[in-house]
Amino acid sequence: MNVIEVNKLTKYYGKSRGIVDVSFGVEEGEIFGFIGPNGAGKSTTIRLLLSLIHPTSGDARVFGKDIAKEGPTIREQIGYLPSEVFYYDDMKVIDLLKYSASFYPCDCEERTRELASLMELELNRRIRDLSYGNRKKVGIVQGLLHSPKLVLLDEPTAGLDPLMQRKFFDLIRDENKKGVTVFFSSHILSEVQRLCNRVGIIREGRMVEVSDIRTLQQNNTKKIRVNTRYGQPAFDLPGVTNVVTENGTTQLFFRGDINLILRYLTTLNVDDVSIEEPTLEEIFMHYYE
Amino acid sequence: MSTNIYRYEVRVRWKSVLIWTFALASLLFIFMALFPSFSAEAAAMNEMMANFPPALKSAFGISNLDLSSVLGYFSFCMVFCQLCFAIQASNYGFGLVSVEENEMTADFLLTKPVSRSNVLRSKILAALTSLLATDVLFWLMSYASIVLFREGKPYELKILLLLLGSVVVFQLFFFFVALAISQLVRRVRSVTPYSLGLAFGAYVLNAFAGIFGDVKLEYLTPFKHFDTAAIVLDGHYNLPLVLLEVGVIILALGFTWLRYARRDIPTSV
């Protein structure tokens, strides 16, 4: 069953574009990466799913329920971590977490303590006195304390130091192992690559690709680096793109029958050659050219 | 209603209620403490008042006021209390939901499993509780100040109750109109300029009613609907105007109700 099912969702803010005709599905128990540059419509999509804003057209279902009609019931099982966290400044961390927990039918106290100690969060400080990174931690605990079945993360790692980022990823992975579905929006591809099973790529408000992260990476595109002793090979073959030569090293992308390029390589006098999968970063750039 | 939202909201306004009550009480006591000297020189006082230009008197709402009687004098003080009530209620109205959007806490509250109407209902009830708490304290202070300073002069309890009771509807007007206005603008960056504008605007509209000529703009403002001097003089409310005011309150509430359910919550950027 798809936990999130988005169907031709469109949002305009007055005349300016939010997202246009976005459709995709997120399966139960997966970690779905949602990547795109700033302003592509990632936050818009998440805010639509949470009914913070309302769609211009199209619809979406979460847990099989219509977001326009059953928002409150849906949100009972959602944990949300916004990209920028702001809370009632005068409150103490523990009071905010208790206030947050009071909205859910669970007894969340134990889980709260567990998460807080894991994220090394001091419960008795005032929110006003917390640094950006510490506020972020409050956000993480707040988003997970009611053991949601679906977690929406909107660029969650900004402001966390590398150590905390790793803890956070471990936490998300653990939650995922328990069966929690994760929707992870980010513009940092390496973290998406580390964590996600599938990705959706959004560009200027439109979904340009939804696929398995491995398929995306393999996609028959190879990154080839060749060191030649004499001269500069032409690589005049179909499927060759982005040829860059520097200090005798030629780098290029090849997409097509791998035998063609291999046969060509044997005609050269090669010092060194490497053929590897392109990183997600490089694939990503390809979508944005 | 969500009791947790309600409780939180009441707690947030608790300090503000105490400060407003303190301000109102000081105002009342300082004014009423002067009553004995006013009433002692009543004849001279009224004579002097008669010499003021009529425009000035009507601007201060003292044209047909007998400052030597307890309630005449009290109704004069109450105009200033009304101004305080207007600012307080507007503050609560403008800030009720916009404060969440300003401080970006709307993302926290509205992603919880509660519906918009539930959030609005809980918040409105909490704010009304705070306003009512202010009223009750104000009523006690008023009664105390009259008992303390009336110098044995008589007053009519029924009219005092009318005066004191009027603040409830008066507050509701400013609260709901402010709330409705906050739904019309994309973001209320700071509450104070809006609420001062609304409260003083309404006051001035009544005070300088004469300058608009035949256009009776003063009928729009609660300062006219609950003209304290007129209540003392007539011994009853001006029913059509009070009904008009109630109508505006209902309209503002209905508008907010529909609008807030469909509102797009702006992001931080």
Side-chain angles (χ1 to χ4, degrees):
Chain A
M1 187 194 89
N2 276 352
V3 168
I4 302 177
E5 187 70 65
V6 174
N7 183 22
K8 289 193 171 170
L9 206 57
T10 300
K11 174 67 186 175
Y12 278 92
Y13 301 100
K15 275 186 179 163
S16 67
R17 162 200 59 76
I19 55 170
V20 184
D21 269 345
V22 167
S23 301
F24 64 93
V26 175
E27 289 156 27
E28 188 168 5
E30 74 171 331
I31 303 184
F32 186 88
F34 194 45
I35 51 186
N38 296 329
K42 300 188 296 292
S43 292
T44 299
T45 310
I46 290 184
R47 295 173 77 78
L48 281 166
L49 291 175
L50 288 161
S51 303
L52 281 171
I53 53 178
H54 305 279
T56 311
S57 66
D59 54 84
R61 294 178 161 271
V62 178
F63 307 121
K65 292 174 180 131
D66 191 341
I67 53 162
K69 292 188 189 111
E70 296 183 72
T73 329
I74 293 171
R75 290 198 293 272
E76 218 163 85
Q77 300 291 347
I78 291 185
Y80 168 54
L81 176 58
S83 49
E84 289 188 68
V85 280
F86 298 91
Y87 297 121
Y88 307 95
D89 277 356
D90 284 337
M91 279 177 125
K92 280 185 181 169
V93 173
I94 184 70
D95 293 331
L96 179 93
L97 295 176
K98 275 185 183 157
Y99 185 38
S100 179
S102 70
F103 285 92
Y104 303 98
C106 65
D107 177 24
C108 317
E109 198 174 332
E110 203 185 305
R111 183 73 181 138
T112 306
R113 305 238 167 234
E114 216 174 278
L115 288 166
S117 75
L118 189 72
M119 296 309 291
E120 297 167 26
L121 185 64
E122 292 166 66
L123 290 175
N124 284 314
R125 293 182 63 183
R126 291 215 179 265
I127 305 228
R128 188 185 338 158
D129 304 331
L130 295 182
S131 68
Y132 184 63
N134 276 322
R135 278 167 191 245
K136 202 88 198 195
K137 291 186 202 168
V138 178
I140 293 167
V141 177
Q142 183 271 130
L144 295 174
L145 57 81
H146 55 291
S147 313
K149 287 195 185 126
L150 168 66
V151 178
L152 303 177
L153 306 169
D154 194 355
E155 306 192 358
T157 50
L160 289 180
D161 61 56
L163 219 65
M164 271 303 150
Q165 282 193 19
R166 202 162 71 193
K167 273 193 176 169
F168 172 67
F169 284 137
D170 289 344
L171 184 61
I172 293 299
R173 256 190 225 108
D174 285 347
E175 288 291 312
N176 181 243
K177 271 184 207 137
K178 286 188 235 160
V180 172
T181 311
V182 181
F183 185 83
F184 183 95
S185 135
S186 176
H187 61 261
I188 304 165
L189 293 150
S190 53
E191 55 183 37
V192 173
Q193 200 166 5
R194 260 165 73 188
L195 207 63
C196 300
N197 316 109
R198 287 199 311 143
V199 289
I201 299 177
I202 190 168
R203 174 191 178 180
E204 287 170 8
R206 287 171 194 274
M207 207 70 156
V208 284
E209 173 97 47
V210 179
S211 72
D212 199 275
I213 204 151
R214 279 192 200 85
T215 350
L216 191 66
Q217 236 163 338
Q218 291 164 353
N219 212 358
N220 282 329
T221 303
K222 302 287 172 194
K223 184 166 81 176
I224 299 170
R225 207 179 281 134
V226 189
N227 269 29
T228 44
R229 200 164 299 174
Y230 310 108
Q232 207 171 315
F235 284 105
D236 207 3
L237 290 171
V240 171
T241 49
N242 298 47
V243 186
V244 184
T245 307
E246 215 175 306
N247 296 335
T249 307
T250 307
Q251 188 189 299
L252 58 99
F253 290 96
F254 175 76
R255 184 176 185 168
D257 184 358
I258 196 76
N259 290 303
L260 276 174
I261 195 86
L262 285 177
R263 242 170 261 146
Y264 178 75
L265 285 174
T266 53
T267 64
L268 304 173
N269 195 345
V270 184
D271 264 355
D272 191 14
V273 64
S274 71
I275 301 176
E276 47 186 79
E277 307 284 350
T279 65
L280 204 50
E281 209 96 27
E282 285 153 340
I283 300 166
F284 192 64
M285 289 318 289
H286 162 80
Y287 279 104
Y288 284 93
E289 270 154 19
Chain B
M1 189 185 75
S2 298
T3 45
N4 50 355
I5 301 181
Y6 176 82
R7 258 204 310 254
Y8 171 78
E9 293 282 325
V10 169
R11 219 177 310 144
V12 162
R13 283 193 195 80
W14 189 232
K15 231 185 253 170
S16 146
V17 167
L18 288 184
I19 292 171
W20 279 108
T21 314
F22 179 74
L24 282 164
S26 326
L27 193 71
L28 262 180
F29 275 80
I30 291 169
F31 264 100
M32 289 307 285
L34 296 174
F35 175 68
S37 36
F38 260 86
S39 65
E41 308 287 330
M45 193 64 212
N46 282 339
E47 198 177 308
M48 187 185 86
M49 297 272 296
N51 290 328
F52 280 161
L56 184 77
K57 281 196 290 183
S58 75
F60 280 95
I62 50 176
S63 21
N64 32 32
L65 212 57
D66 180 8
L67 289 178
S68 61
S69 78
V70 176
L71 290 183
Y73 187 82
F74 180 74
S75 72
F76 172 65
C77 308
M78 244 193 87
V79 176
F80 300 98
C81 296
Q82 278 186 330
L83 201 52
C84 292
F85 277 119
I87 296 171
Q88 185 201 19
S90 311
N91 265 342
Y92 293 175
F94 278 118
L96 193 73
V97 290
S98 76
V99 69
E100 307 269 351
E101 288 167 28
N102 253 335
E103 291 167 13
M104 316 300 163
T105 50
D107 276 22
F108 170 85
L109 188 60
L110 298 179
T111 55
K112 297 282 171 254
V114 280
S115 64
R116 291 274 177 101
S117 55
N118 197 337
V119 169
L120 192 59
R121 193 160 50 227
S122 314
K123 276 174 163 279
I124 287 177
L125 285 174
L128 294 186
T129 308
S130 308
L131 289 176
L132 192 67
T134 317
D135 290 343
V136 171
L137 292 170
F138 170 74
W139 290 333
L140 295 174
M141 301 295 174
S142 304
Y143 188 70
S145 71
I146 286 176
V147 169
L148 275 175
F149 300 114
R150 75 191 173 107
E151 295 273 291
K153 288 205 167 194
Y155 66 93
E156 221 178 310
L157 187 65
K158 184 199 138 201
I159 292 179
L160 178 64
L161 291 179
L162 281 179
L163 282 175
L164 295 183
S166 72
V167 295
V168 176
V169 188
F170 186 87
Q171 283 173 319
L172 290 182
F173 178 91
F174 283 97
F175 176 72
F176 282 113
V177 168
L179 182 58
I181 295 174
S182 81
Q183 289 305 294
L184 279 172
V185 290
R186 188 170 176 271
R187 184 173 283 173
V188 179
R189 294 223 174 259
S190 169
V191 167
T192 324
Y194 278 92
S195 51
L196 288 182
L198 182 63
F200 279 104
Y203 176 74
V204 165
L205 215 53
N206 183 42
F208 298 101
I211 63 171
F212 299 109
D214 287 339
V215 195
K216 297 283 185 199
L217 279 179
E218 69 265 30
Y219 287 112
L220 294 174
T221 157
F223 286 96
K224 177 76 183 174
H225 304 161
F226 292 107
D227 185 337
T228 51
I231 294 175
V232 174
L233 208 65
D234 303 343
H236 59 78
Y237 292 150
N238 186 336
L239 197 62
L241 286 184
V242 173
L243 288 179
L244 173 72
E245 173 146 330
V246 171
V248 173
I249 291 170
I250 291 170
L251 271 181
L253 172 62
F255 173 79
T256 307
W257 200 262
L258 296 177
R259 185 94 177 182
Y260 189 60
R262 299 296 307 160
R263 184 171 173 83
D264 282 350
I265 306 302
T267 44
S268 47
V269 279

